[in-house]
Amino acid sequence: MDRLIEAIEDKQNPSVVGLDPTEALVPKQVVASFAEEIAEQVEDPTEAPAAQLSVAFFEFNRAIIDAVADIVPAVKPQIAMYEALGPAGIDAYSMTCEYAKQQGLYVLGDVKRGDIGSTAAAYAHHLSGVNAGEHAFDPWHEDAVTVNPYLGTDGITPFVEAATGADKDIFVLVRTSNPSSSELQELELASGERVYEHVADLVEGWGAETIGANGYSRVGAVVGATHPEEGKALRARMPHTFFLVPGYGAQGGTAQGVAGMFDKDGMGALVNSSRGIIGAWKKSGKYSESMSADDALDLVAESAREAAKDMRDNLRAVLP
Ligand SMILES: O=C(O)c1cc(=O)[nH]c(=O)n1[C@@H]1O[C@H](COP(=O)(O)O)[C@@H](O)[C@H]1O
């Protein structure tokens, strides 16, 4: 987590831009501009639409990354959006991660994996790379991944080991931002604790051997911006655990609401906004369908930059 913390200090900005593209979030003319090129490349024409959208996702992301790389420390590509397009989408995911890393950004792969130990060990290659050993290579280019703790310790240990070996991190779901999160996470245990509080204690334990120079372990926690009070209590309960805080903006989370999730030095949390940044162009009032693809991408980039700056300034205003 020390690399992430350095990047946050460098940019003086504890926020991360979520790269969650969908067809609705990419201007139509940008997608259309790849039609000919893709039609020539694919053997099976039924694959063309997914291939075209995948290329458009990458170019959309590249424009956004270029526009925010000097403002934010990190990006969080959400693999679901890319998986939805099949293998071409996965390529766009990996290319996005690689490009972001080349621009000096910390890349948090939102892959939310979780399974029995032997399978978790395979998923952990997201961090350790493929064919670990002499011929290892890293097709994913991620600095961290998100992990689901439902299977318990043996589903997490392979990720902690891989993260430790590769100087990377994981973020474990503790208190998620979504409306139904209470169905399981708020259940009361015989001890009187809530399920998410128990998970929080497990997460502190999973990270205990990996605490870095800044006092935070390699095992972070995901705590939704939509739960300000619980997030504040978790901050006190998890002194060595860095927080990823999604739910800002589109899901209703605010800078005031997340302020309590930071430590006394204004560190300890990274706040995510995806649609609020990458979809800002739609609310700019400047878009028109008759624009060229290049102009539309410029608008996407300029709007994302403004939204990222606003988010940074709003967070700075509530931090010490
Ligand atoms: O792990 C996450 O990042 C995550 C956890 C959570 O509790 N809530 C949550 O929204 N997320 C992710 O954060 C992003 C939020 O997107 P926006 O609501 O568009 O900002 C999506 O990629 C979600 O999958």
Side-chain angles (χ1 to χ4, degrees), residues 20 76 78 110 112 176-177 222 246 251 272-275:
D20 302 31
K76 184 175 76 70
Q78 166 55 263
D110 196 352
K112 291 200 184 66
T176 61
S177 64
V222 179
Q251 295 177 50
N272 180 80
S273 175
S274 304
R275 286 166 291 180

Side-chain angles (χ1 to χ4, degrees), residues 4-319:
L4 173 61
I5 292 168
E6 272 168 36
I8 293 171
E9 279 173 348
D10 186 37
K11 306 272 170 60
Q12 288 293 302
N13 181 7
S15 67
V16 48
V17 171
L19 297 174
D20 302 31
T22 59
E23 192 167 3
L25 284 176
V26 181
K28 284 188 173 50
Q29 55 272 65
V30 174
V31 181
S33 69
F34 297 106
E36 256 178 61
E37 180 188 327
I38 294 297
E40 281 169 19
Q41 282 172 16
V42 294
E43 282 174 22
D44 175 357
T46 63
E47 288 175 13
Q52 193 178 329
L53 201 51
S54 300
V55 175
F57 278 8
F58 175 68
E59 292 304 332
F60 176 81
N61 289 342
R62 180 152 64 175
I64 291 168
I65 290 166
D66 287 346
V68 301
D70 65 328
I71 302 174
V72 299
V75 289
K76 184 175 76 70
Q78 166 55 263
I79 203 166
M81 279 37 192
Y82 306 84
E83 276 182 9
L85 300 177
I90 295 292
D91 273 352
Y93 173 83
S94 158
M95 285 165 63
T96 295
C97 293
E98 182 176 26
Y99 186 72
K101 209 160 178 167
Q102 284 166 353
Q103 308 317 307
L105 296 168
Y106 179 95
V107 178
L108 212 173
D110 196 352
V111 304
K112 291 200 184 66
R113 299 302 149 103
D115 211 312
I116 63 165
S118 52
T119 308
Y123 278 138
H125 283 272
H126 265 275
L127 299 174
S128 58
V130 175
N131 294 334
E134 218 182 313
H135 302 294
F137 79 104
D138 175 13
W140 297 110
H141 313 283
E142 297 149 330
D143 293 296
V145 291
T146 51
V147 180
N148 189 324
Y150 199 71
L151 282 91
T153 300
D154 63 2
I156 297 293
T157 304
F159 287 98
V160 179
E161 287 173 358
T164 304
D167 185 22
K168 294 184 178 179
D169 308 303
I170 64 172
F171 288 86
V172 181
L173 300 178
V174 170
R175 187 70 180 102
T176 61
S177 64
N178 55 313
S180 308
S181 62
S182 56
E183 288 174 5
L184 292 173
Q185 295 165 18
E186 281 184 16
L187 290 180
E188 198 173 320
L189 302 173
S191 61
E193 308 171 299
R194 304 282 174 174
V195 165
Y196 75 87
E197 293 172 323
H198 187 67
V199 175
D201 295 346
L202 286 172
V203 169
E204 266 283 302
W206 289 330
E209 303 298 314
T210 69
I211 296 171
N214 290 289
Y216 286 103
S217 83
R218 290 190 187 281
V219 183
V222 179
V223 179
T226 50
H227 305 295
E229 290 310 316
E230 293 164 15
K232 192 173 170 190
L234 287 172
R235 178 71 282 151
R237 193 177 184 118
M238 308 176 79
H240 305 294
T241 304
F242 205 92
F243 289 179
L244 167 65
V245 183
Y248 181 95
Q251 295 177 50
T254 62
Q256 283 76 15
V258 302
M261 303 188 200
F262 289 83
D263 65 21
K264 62 176 182 11
D265 302 319
M267 195 42 75
L270 181 70
V271 183
N272 180 80
S273 175
S274 304
R275 286 166 291 180
I277 308 282
I278 70 173
W281 64 273
K282 291 194 130 185
K283 295 186 173 163
S284 69
K286 296 182 188 164
Y287 175 73
S288 119
E289 284 193 5
S290 61
M291 274 176 153
S292 70
D294 284 349
D295 286 350
L297 270 187
D298 284 348
L299 177 63
V300 165
E302 176 194 309
S303 308
R305 185 175 174 83
E306 285 313 307
K309 274 190 186 167
D310 283 351
M311 181 177 176
R312 175 195 65 187
D313 296 345
N314 290 340
L315 289 171
R316 280 182 183 169
V318 297
L319 293 177

